[in-house]
Amino acid sequence: MVLSSTPKDICILRLSAIGDVCHAVSAVQAIQRHYPEAKITWVVGKIEAMLLQEMPGVEFVIFDKKQGKAAFKQLKETFKGRQFDVLLHMQVALRANFAARCIPAKVKVGFDWHRAKEGHFLFTNKRIAAEKSAHVLEGFRGFAKAIGVPHYEPTWQMPVSDDDKQVAAELLYGLENVLVISPAASKAERNWLPERYAETAKYAKQKGFNVVITGGPTDMERQLAADIISYLDFEVLNLVGKTTLKQLVCVLEQAKLIIAPDTGPAHMAVTMGTPVIGLYAHSNPARTGPYLYQDYVVEVYHKNLQAQFKKSAEQLPWGTRVKGKTLMSQISVADVQAMFDRVCKEQHLN
């Protein structure tokens, strides 16, 4: 344990992204259970706050990166006169490292030497224990352990309201056996092909599922949904750009199954206990895949890693990514359909 006494005032620094803050929620709530009297403040990104706000017992301080230097000045002003017992600095990005400088804390805990990047170690004075081949969620669990929280299996209580649940229920009214396809990652090269999503949707329809497409309001996400629908000869419910993040997480909760690439909604679904078929090519699903459903990932990451580096994941720095704009095209419809059948059988979805 990095602290000499029970912490009373804890600051969490994890700005982004949606999937990562979902992983962090399990650590924060484990800390709350172990230290119920502690005050917890979480410095978080503006978009991510839309999902997390109203979480019981947590004060959120929004860091809006679009404000540039003004965001750091505002952070300093917010914490003027305060002193935290400990800062759990859960992000190695340079922007987050500079944000850590604006947070007054006696102890600043960061990642171990192996995972510290972009000068991360310069902004901390304690480190979590090193772990070999750890998932991102397990890294965050290391921060909880560092301040004395016993080992725990991750659970989540996402801060959604009855109104959010009601909106989701109304959107899905009349639909049973819902398959949600959340097709868009943050980068287009990590998206599967629209015609293959469509073939998978047709297969699910034949198996008795109703198909719902979800996503954010960006042009890329709207276009990808339109492209998928253009290959279909039956109606699907297109919710792209039509839900808040909290409403979306409730839609995912009410679905039977999710299909998604390496994207935030895959991890949102995990927090609600909905099985996920993850489609991965560029990053190691053992590190960034849907945590509770890593066995359901369809991936071409490892073969591309071997092709590009002539080494296995165990022989390379953990988290090494592979490059290529067409890697996702190596994931076949047949492989995804086979995984679909396996998940339906194992999860008793039929």
Side-chain angles (χ1 to χ4, degrees), residues 170-188:
E170 291 172 357
L171 290 170
L172 299 179
Y173 180 76
L175 300 181
E176 296 182 350
N177 293 329
V178 170
L179 165 69
V180 167
I181 295 177
S182 185
S186 58
K187 296 182 179 179

Side-chain angles (χ1 to χ4, degrees), residues 141-307:
R141 184 164 58 190
F143 283 88
K145 290 181 179 180
I147 61 170
V149 177
H151 180 82
Y152 62 89
E153 293 304 320
T155 59
W156 295 264
Q157 295 293 325
M158 299 302 286
V160 295
S161 67
D162 290 341
D163 286 344
D164 296 321
K165 294 179 181 180
Q166 182 62 31
V167 169
E170 291 172 357
L171 290 170
L172 299 179
Y173 180 76
L175 300 181
E176 296 182 350
N177 293 329
V178 170
L179 165 69
V180 167
I181 295 177
S182 185
S186 58
K187 296 182 179 179
E189 66 183 22
R190 297 182 191 174
N191 298 339
W192 204 29
L193 283 65
E195 60 269 29
R196 296 188 188 179
Y197 279 124
E199 286 299 314
T200 304
K202 291 177 184 178
Y203 187 77
K205 184 70 172 177
Q206 293 169 2
K207 296 287 185 175
F209 282 77
N210 287 288
V211 178
V212 175
I213 302 176
T214 63
T218 67
D219 291 341
M220 184 267 282
E221 290 170 281
R222 293 182 189 277
Q223 186 60 54
L224 180 54
D227 290 342
I228 294 169
I229 292 169
S230 72
Y231 288 101
L232 298 175
D233 57 2
F234 60 90
E235 286 192 9
V236 301
L237 178 60
N238 182 4
L239 295 181
V240 173
K242 297 177 182 178
T243 60
T244 66
L245 284 173
K246 289 178 180 286
Q247 292 165 359
L248 174 57
V249 82
C250 293
V251 167
L252 298 174
E253 179 186 25
Q254 295 180 37
K256 290 291 186 69
L257 178 61
I258 315 298
I259 296 178
D262 186 4
T263 185
H267 307 292
M268 292 165 65
V270 171
T271 70
M272 307 307 281
T274 305
V276 180
I277 297 176
L279 310 179
Y280 279 69
H282 295 85
S283 58
N284 191 340
R287 180 180 177 273
T288 63
Y291 188 74
L292 299 181
Y293 305 105
Q294 294 178 72
D295 288 346
Y296 295 157
V297 166
V298 180
E299 58 91 10
V300 292
Y301 167 79
H302 287 91
K303 75 173 186 179
N304 281 288
L305 192 73
Q306 186 69 42

Side-chain angles (χ1 to χ4, degrees), residues 6-145:
T6 299
K8 295 182 174 61
D9 209 351
I10 301 169
C11 186
I12 309 291
L13 174 59
R14 179 72 215 191
L15 304 176
S16 60
I18 293 293
D20 290 326
V21 298
C22 285
H23 298 320
V25 165
S26 64
V28 171
Q29 293 181 336
I31 293 169
Q32 286 181 304
R33 290 191 297 271
H34 190 67
Y35 296 120
E37 301 302 320
K39 181 178 180 180
I40 296 179
T41 302
W42 187 338
V43 182
V44 69
K46 184 177 181 179
I47 293 175
E48 292 74 16
M50 296 177 185
L51 177 63
L52 301 182
Q53 282 182 329
E54 287 84 47
M55 183 181 294
V58 179
E59 172 198 9
F60 288 98
V61 173
I62 296 174
F63 181 93
D64 186 359
K65 63 182 181 181
K66 291 184 178 180
Q67 293 183 2
K69 292 181 180 180
F72 298 100
K73 183 178 180 180
Q74 183 177 344
L75 196 59
K76 283 185 179 180
E77 187 63 29
T78 298
F79 292 138
K80 188 175 181 180
R82 294 182 64 175
Q83 181 75 11
F84 295 100
D85 296 323
V86 61
L87 166 66
L88 302 182
H89 182 6
M90 297 181 174
Q91 189 162 351
V92 298
L94 189 59
R95 181 185 291 111
N97 288 333
F98 281 118
R101 292 182 62 186
C102 304
I103 301 172
K106 300 173 185 177
V107 177
K108 296 188 177 184
V109 184
F111 284 98
D112 56 280
W113 291 107
H114 181 70
R115 286 177 282 188
K117 300 176 182 177
E118 300 198 39
H120 180 75
F121 64 93
L122 297 173
F123 301 87
T124 59
N125 51 27
K126 298 288 183 180
R127 282 168 285 282
I128 66 172
E131 294 179 274
K132 186 177 181 181
S133 305
H135 190 279
V136 171
L137 181 145
E138 293 163 348
F140 295 154
R141 184 164 58 190
F143 283 88
K145 290 181 179 180

